[in-house]
Amino acid sequence: MLIRQAGSTVHYPKGHVIFAAGDISDRVYLIESGWVKIYRLSADGRRVTVGSIRSPGEMMGLAETILGVERTCFAGAINNVTMVVMTKSNFEELMAQHPFLAIKVAKLLGARMREAEAIIHEMVCWQAPGRLALMLMKMGERMGEHTKGGIKINLQLTHEEIANMVGTSRQTVTSLLNTFKQEKSIVYEGRTIRIVNPDKLAKWVV
């Protein structure tokens, strides 16, 4: 890929803040391995996850870098992450030389805008059980490992992190996950969640 050739490879440990709100947006990132959460801080200091978790093969930091504005979000490494980093000037030069890359970036930003609109709709229209069930189903589709026992979600998130992603409290998440477990929609293996009955889980998304 062009970005791999023109950028520099960097490694970030689990928990590292890759960029922060207020930073100058002067580079873009291509995730090679690991997972990154994009979040903001609420007035009371809580981390509120915005958008989806960024996964291997995805680019991030695009919109603000292209616009040339300060970062409004934080990016945190969920686990150990390897990335290719490219400066804004090199990235813009690359897009000018290769129009197909610019088209790909435009499509990606368009898809993320639609995703953001969908998240707003979910927050307004669905209660916490539906939002949590949908998030688990989406994670199963994007990062799930299909096994004989169901769809294994290998991303080990705390209940607090999950709560920040679906806009509710940690206590509510713990209660709902126990409900899903009792009805045998999911099973726990440590912090790993396995979806064993996707159809039953989907019934919460109403």
Side-chain angles (χ1 to χ4, degrees):
M1 193 181 189
L2 292 169
I3 293 170
R4 289 189 181 96
Q5 295 168 0
S8 303
T9 301
V10 293
H11 306 279
Y12 296 107
K14 177 181 178 179
H16 186 83
V17 176
I18 298 160
F19 59 71
D23 284 357
I24 297 169
S25 306
D26 60 354
R27 59 199 65 200
V28 296
Y29 305 81
L30 170 66
I31 303 171
E32 293 279 51
S33 65
W35 306 81
V36 177
K37 60 184 175 184
I38 309 296
Y39 62 93
R40 295 190 183 195
L41 293 181
S42 63
D44 60 1
R46 284 190 309 113
R47 294 184 176 189
V48 180
T49 302
V50 292
S52 294
I53 289 171
R54 302 291 178 233
S55 53
E58 282 195 86
M59 294 192 69
M60 63 179 224
L62 284 170
E64 293 164 331
T65 301
I66 291 171
L67 285 171
V69 296
E70 286 186 354
R71 302 277 185 207
T72 55
C73 299
F74 295 78
I78 295 175
N79 47 20
N80 293 336
V81 174
T82 299
M83 292 182 161
V84 176
V85 183
M86 179 182 284
T87 63
K88 176 181 179 178
S89 58
N90 284 354
F91 186 61
E92 288 179 342
E93 188 178 328
L94 206 61
M95 285 195 294
Q97 292 172 353
H98 304 277
F100 76 88
L101 177 61
I103 293 170
K104 190 172 182 179
V105 168
K107 287 180 177 180
L108 175 60
L109 291 175
R112 287 186 180 163
M113 184 179 72
R114 286 172 60 89
E115 186 178 51
E117 290 169 349
I119 289 170
I120 293 169
H121 175 79
E122 291 162 16
M123 289 292 184
V124 171
C125 297
W126 290 342
Q127 298 299 313
R131 297 201 302 271
L132 178 57
L134 183 64
M135 189 206 82
L136 291 175
M137 290 162 60
K138 283 181 178 178
M139 288 176 69
E141 288 174 10
R142 289 186 62 207
M143 60 195 75
E145 176 189 344
H146 289 261
T147 68
K148 287 183 179 179
I151 304 168
K152 186 177 181 181
I153 301 172
N154 289 313
L155 201 59
Q156 298 187 355
L157 297 170
T158 65
H159 289 191
E160 184 74 32
E161 287 173 320
I162 294 172
N164 292 341
M165 292 173 68
V166 295
T168 189
S169 68
R170 181 189 57 76
Q171 293 87 346
T172 298
V173 165
T174 300
S175 175
L176 287 172
L177 288 173
N178 285 333
T179 299
F180 295 164
K181 185 179 174 183
Q182 287 165 8
E183 71 168 18
K184 294 182 169 58
S185 296
I186 66 170
V187 294
Y188 268 112
E189 295 164 355
R191 269 195 196 168
T192 302
I193 296 173
R194 189 190 300 269
I195 301 172
V196 293
N197 194 327
D199 293 336
K200 190 176 283 188
L201 195 62
K203 289 180 180 177
W204 290 94
V205 186
V206 291

